[in-house]
Amino acid sequence: MKILLLGSGGREHAFAWKIRQSPLCERLFIAPGNAGTAALGENVPLNPNDFEAIGKFVREKEIGMAVVGPEEPLVLGIYDYFKNTPGLEQVRLIGPSKTGAQLEGSKAFAKRFMMERGIPTAAYAEFTADSLAEGLDYLARQQPPIVLKADGLAAGKGVLICRSVQEAQTEFRAMLGGKFGQASARVVVEEFLDGIEFSVFAITDGNTYKILPVAKDYKRIGEGDTGLNTGGMGAISPVPFADGELMARVESRIIAPTIRGLREIGAPYLGFVFFGLIRVGKEPYVIEYNCRMGDPETEAVFPRLQNDLVELMMALDDGNLSSIAIQEDPRAAATVILVSGGYPGDYEKGKAITGLDEVEGSIVFHAGSKLENGRMLTNGGRVIALTSYGENFRQALALSLRNAGKIQYEGKYYRRDIGFDL
Ligand code: AMP
Ligand code: GLY
């Protein structure tokens, strides 16, 4: 089968790496891909949000499966486009329908969905410019910290944790006034949950599901989880505190009712669900849903998934997902992300990367790099992900860090304390 993978980050390099291991994949295209995916398949310069161009390419190349990495094309309705366009209906599109993708595309939709089903999540209220006064009044009655969320996609920047009612009210006005454009035309106000976060992934056909290896990511730029939020500075899998008891609760209280709920609302969902969870006491709560795999979690999760990923994705259309057992590598994995100096603020691109061939014993996933005239250059905030195996995550981390030291480019920065809180 010919496969087209959409996206260009470290997550997509990990997808390409895993897809390439499958004998079911005859040819792999990545749109637009990066310097890492170029070594595993053919990069094609197409924008994942340009459905017409993607559809034309799929027909021309007789692609059998299209795998969607990032959320944006899903929230924009790429699944529905394929199912409603002659010549594309038969293609296996791995990702949810536009309605299913609302789990990530609208925080208000996700909150209502959870509340209606008793899925544990923080208490909330939602407001628009029409209910500004009620919103300010509601905020005045809250106990800080107060969490404000833009309803729509805001490139990971739409969540604010406010330390006082006054700060919350100021930010609330700014959000409704367009701070995140249309995404914050509606604002969700949430109770702050104090606990430890982790990431659970399921692959589902909308009826049945399988749980993939559990992970934990580290989003802040600074060691000790300080400073600004980033796309993710590292990840580990498995998560020591996510034991059988906690995961049984996650499955019965969160995963099973979520999949049932998607079926009830008639939202086709043949893809990945990312449950962003927090453990408070002994109880898991949903912080957010995403309609795709996580980045950098995928770079730690897929190396521990022993199943043939293409076979798993084919099972979504073939209706035999329930007959497949997930096989996890017993080893731990730890991923360290090397970023550009200044990230997540302003940073420069185009710095020469050297030392990649000295990496020993780690998997190199490219996140933001490009090949130009035979030279490898930085091309993004997150540049390289290094994943290693070990008996436990500390051992795995030590190896990733050793290799991180061998890669050189101007402004290189990475966190050395991934897993510090475990
Ligand atoms: P989100 O974009 O929804 O993942 O939010 C970004 C980050 O904000 C999360 O990873 C949490 O660290 C934090 N966060 C979001 N909602 C809450 C909440 N209700 N309580 C505490 N922290 C939260
Ligand atoms: N690692 C968090 C995300 O992918 O959104």
Side-chain angles (χ1 to χ4, degrees):
M1 188 170 46
K2 292 184 198 165
I3 301 178
L4 171 65
L5 170 65
L6 301 183
S8 62
R11 169 183 52 211
E12 284 74 23
H13 189 178
F15 260 98
W17 174 82
K18 192 70 184 140
I19 288 171
R20 259 296 163 208
Q21 291 168 16
S22 170
L24 297 165
C25 176
E26 288 161 40
R27 207 167 158 191
L28 176 64
F29 299 94
I30 310 96
N34 63 32
T37 64
L40 295 165
E42 298 158 62
N43 284 353
V44 284
L46 295 177
N47 176 348
N49 295 335
D50 185 349
F51 299 168
E52 279 195 25
I54 298 285
K56 186 163 171 274
F57 181 82
V58 164
R59 275 191 300 260
E60 271 170 22
K61 297 286 180 191
E62 299 179 332
I63 300 290
M65 176 186 279
V67 182
V68 187
E71 63 277 11
E72 218 184 328
L74 295 165
V75 172
L76 292 172
I78 195 167
Y79 177 93
D80 309 70
Y81 178 80
F82 268 62
K83 298 304 152 189
N84 296 316
T85 304
L88 298 177
E89 319 94 308
Q90 299 306 320
V91 177
R92 297 165 186 267
L93 191 288
I94 306 301
S97 61
K98 189 170 183 172
T99 310
Q102 287 292 95
L103 283 186
E104 175 166 5
S106 167
K107 306 254 186 215
F109 173 94
K111 295 301 280 190
R112 287 177 223 143
F113 178 93
M114 288 185 271
M115 286 295 168
E116 283 164 12
R117 292 170 176 79
I119 296 170
T121 188
Y124 85 109
E126 55 176 275
F127 303 95
T128 62
D130 291 338
S131 47
L132 178 84
E134 281 147 80
L136 293 171
D137 193 46
Y138 179 85
L139 289 171
R141 286 182 273 116
Q142 303 308 303
Q143 184 70 24
I146 303 170
V147 183
L148 302 183
K149 298 187 174 183
D151 178 52
L153 293 185
K157 297 190 167 64
V159 175
L160 300 176
I161 302 193
C162 304
R163 300 287 150 191
S164 70
V165 167
Q166 204 175 24
E167 181 191 349
Q169 289 178 327
T170 305
E171 290 294 351
F172 178 74
R173 278 183 193 278
M175 286 172 86
L176 289 177
K179 177 166 179 154
F180 301 107
Q182 260 308 109
S184 63
R186 184 178 294 274
V187 173
V188 165
V189 180
E190 252 184 47
E191 162 203 19
F192 179 82
L193 297 176
D194 196 5
I196 186 159
E197 290 178 62
F198 59 117
S199 305
V200 173
F201 300 92
I203 182 166
T204 183
D205 58 10
N207 285 302
T208 174
Y209 59 83
K210 293 288 167 177
I211 303 173
L212 303 179
V214 58
K216 176 161 177 51
D217 82 332
Y218 289 81
K219 290 198 181 80
R220 301 299 193 95
I221 188 72
E223 297 192 345
D225 277 351
T226 53
L228 294 173
N229 251 330
T230 71
M233 297 297 293
I236 55 143
S237 176
V239 179
F241 67 78
D243 55 12
E245 189 186 332
L246 181 63
M247 290 308 291
R249 286 182 193 196
V250 167
E251 182 164 9
S252 65
R253 295 181 193 174
I254 296 171
I255 301 178
T258 298
I259 305 300
R260 215 180 302 130
L262 287 167
R263 199 164 57 225
E264 280 163 13
I265 63 172
Y269 204 120
L270 293 89
F272 300 92
V273 190
F274 171 163
F275 300 86
L277 306 180
I278 188 165
R279 187 194 64 173
V280 181
K282 286 186 151 190
E283 298 299 327
Y285 289 79
V286 178
I287 289 275
E288 63 163 351
Y289 287 117
N290 294 306
C291 62
R292 49 159 177 92
M293 287 296 292
D295 195 350
E297 288 96 326
T298 305
E299 293 96 300
V301 168
F302 280 179
R304 296 194 58 245
L305 177 68
Q306 292 176 325
N307 300 70
D308 180 327
L309 180 63
V310 178
E311 187 189 335
L312 264 177
M313 294 190 292
M314 284 176 71
L316 303 184
D317 267 307
D318 296 342
N320 58 343
L321 183 63
S322 58
S323 67
I324 300 178
I326 296 295
Q327 306 285 344
E328 284 191 21
D329 192 311
R331 292 173 295 174
T335 302
V336 171
I337 306 287
L338 278 58
V339 304
S340 295
Y343 174 80
D346 293 338
Y347 57 86
E348 287 174 18
K349 294 183 187 177
K351 307 291 182 194
I353 307 172
T354 58
L356 284 169
D357 45 3
E358 287 165 42
V359 170
E360 270 177 296
S362 297
I363 311 168
V364 177
F365 293 120
H366 289 250
S369 63
K370 68 172 176 188
L371 262 176
E372 212 170 80
N373 304 323
R375 289 203 318 158
M376 186 69 76
L377 306 176
T378 65
N379 194 38
R382 292 191 284 176
V383 179
I384 300 277
L386 284 171
T387 298
S388 313
Y389 295 104
E391 271 176 43
N392 51 52
F393 79 81
R394 287 190 177 85
Q395 208 183 60
L397 177 66
L399 183 52
S400 289
L401 291 176
R402 196 147 61 241
N403 283 314
K406 297 180 187 168
I407 297 173
Q408 304 299 340
Y409 56 85
E410 194 188 315
K412 176 184 76 168
Y413 170 75
Y414 55 97
R415 274 179 64 170
R416 290 168 172 76
D417 70 337
I418 301 305
F420 78 98
D421 51 350
L422 299 173

